[in-house]
Structure formats: C-alpha cells, structure tokens
Amino acid sequence: MQGANQAFEDVDLLVQLLDKHNPTGDPPSTATLETIFIELEAIRIPRSSSLVQEARAQGESRVAQGVEACKARNAAIRELWKDPDALMARSAAMQAPVKV
C-alpha cells in the first residue's frame, strides 16, 4: 500500500514540476526534463528515506521477545492511542503532500 501511495506522490510532484518548468505544455526539451528530474530526485529521495526509516522503526517497535517485553510494547501502544489528536497529527505529518 505504501508503495502505491508513494507512486501517487511521485506523479503529483512530477506534474507540479512540469507545470513549473514547462508552463506552455509544449513537448519539453531534454534540458528541461533534466532540470525537472534533478529537482524531483532532490525532493523525493529525502521523503522516501524518511518513510522507510519510519516504517522500519514501527516494525522494530512491534517485535518483542518474552512476556515482559510484549507487555511493555502493548502498554506503549495503548498509551499512543489515548490521545487521538496527537495520533492524527502524527499521521497527517507523515502524509503531508509535497508542494513545489
């Protein structure tokens, strides 16, 4: 699912960059495309890296060995769900669209 979401983000950003660097809508030159893809890469690599790091951290936080570790993990997750506003803010920050 996350891969599909990232693909939509990529397409949205690519359209924004095409509009920015090629507002006429004419077939873009190679130089224009190079500019667009360099900018796209500069924006998307940090965003993708951040998402991967967050996903890895979430996955690692869910893996626990032993009864006490499982109880601690479950308590931490219950604590997160106690504040719906903070949970929604965290989710919104992860899903914030990139604007050029």
Side-chain angles (χ1 to χ4, degrees):
M1 185 70 105
Q2 184 60 41
N5 291 337
Q6 285 187 265
F8 283 120
E9 287 183 18
D10 289 342
V11 168
D12 180 60
L13 182 57
L14 184 56
V15 168
Q16 290 180 58
L17 292 171
L18 280 164
D19 286 343
K20 174 183 172 182
H21 295 287
N22 191 37
T24 65
D26 292 336
S29 68
T30 301
T32 300
L33 289 173
E34 184 175 356
T35 299
I36 289 168
F37 282 110
I38 287 171
E39 192 170 339
L40 179 94
E41 186 177 66
I43 294 169
R44 292 303 296 159
I45 287 176
R47 168 80 171 142
S48 297
S49 176
S50 173
L51 290 171
V52 168
Q53 288 174 349
E54 179 68 25
R56 183 173 292 134
Q58 284 184 19
E60 289 173 359
S61 73
R62 292 182 184 132
V63 175
Q65 294 183 351
V67 174
E68 293 307 314
C70 288
K71 287 180 181 179
R73 177 207 53 214
N74 294 350
I77 291 172
R78 270 194 294 282
E79 193 63 34
L80 284 173
W81 283 91
K82 284 183 180 179
D83 186 352
D85 293 333
L87 194 60
M88 291 301 291
R90 183 175 178 220
S91 177
M94 289 176 58
Q95 299 173 18
V98 176
K99 294 294 177 194
V100 177

